[in-house]
Amino acid sequence: MIPDRRPHRPMIGSFQALLLAFPVALFPAALVTDITYLDTAEIQWTNFSAWLLAAGELFAGLLLIGALVSLVRSRSGRATLYFLLVLALFVVGLINSFQHSGDGWASVGTFGLILSILGALLALAAGAIGYSSLGAATRLRDADLHDRTDRPRPVEIAR
């Protein structure tokens, strides 16, 4: 059997990858500002969190549309998982934005911190699924084929 040498492409396109970069950066940054607020009690950190969440939510909403398009086009298990992660990210981010619209301790507190942790984890998981181009088994198989067949042979020079 001839090995499959077609180039593997990521599941998402370049525009969707650009949109995904924002939630992957903004939701964990909101978690960091929440932790900083809990450590310092400086109210400005809750404002930073609210702004980061609002921006992350904007891009997560746009990303949700792209994930739906990827799901309709691909209908694979990875596309379904990616769509569900982005949908969960959008819902958790929206609830977290409402939670952070309060003032002071009520905006972050335990519930806000849990939502921020969950949002950061969902954003990182969506990034891992969206940016990956191959499954682990395919990568291992291709690496094994590369080691066996594509290794350059040493050239002997006659003296």
Side-chain angles (χ1 to χ4, degrees):
M1 175 158 69
I2 299 172
D4 184 14
R5 293 292 178 188
R6 291 177 291 168
H8 296 280
R9 296 179 325 142
M11 182 182 63
I12 60 176
S14 58
F15 183 68
Q16 202 174 140
L18 178 68
L19 290 176
L20 180 58
F22 287 96
V24 167
L26 294 171
F27 282 102
L31 172 62
V32 170
T33 57
D34 280 350
I35 293 170
T36 305
Y37 170 71
L38 292 174
D39 193 37
T40 64
E42 180 66 38
I43 198 72
Q44 187 61 27
W45 290 110
T46 61
N47 295 337
F48 290 153
S49 293
W51 297 334
L52 289 166
L53 288 170
E57 191 64 16
L58 171 71
F59 286 102
L62 295 172
L63 187 62
L64 186 59
I65 296 168
L68 181 63
V69 169
S70 293
L71 177 65
V72 169
R73 286 180 51 204
S74 173
R75 293 192 186 258
S76 69
R78 252 180 69 205
T80 303
L81 178 63
Y82 176 69
F83 174 75
L84 291 175
L85 281 172
V86 173
L87 179 63
L89 174 64
F90 183 78
V91 170
V92 167
L94 187 63
I95 294 168
N96 201 7
S97 291
F98 289 147
Q99 177 69 22
H100 278 76
S101 66
D103 53 331
W105 179 256
S107 68
V108 178
T110 305
F111 187 59
L113 184 64
I114 290 171
L115 287 172
S116 291
I117 291 170
L118 190 57
L121 291 175
L122 286 169
L124 293 173
I129 298 293
Y131 289 128
S132 67
S133 61
L134 298 172
T138 306
R139 274 189 239 128
L140 290 174
R141 185 195 73 216
D142 286 350
D144 188 39
L145 286 174
H146 177 73
D147 286 344
R148 290 185 187 167
T149 59
D150 294 340
R151 185 177 297 154
R153 306 204 187 278
V155 177
E156 294 183 21
I157 299 175
R159 294 187 191 235

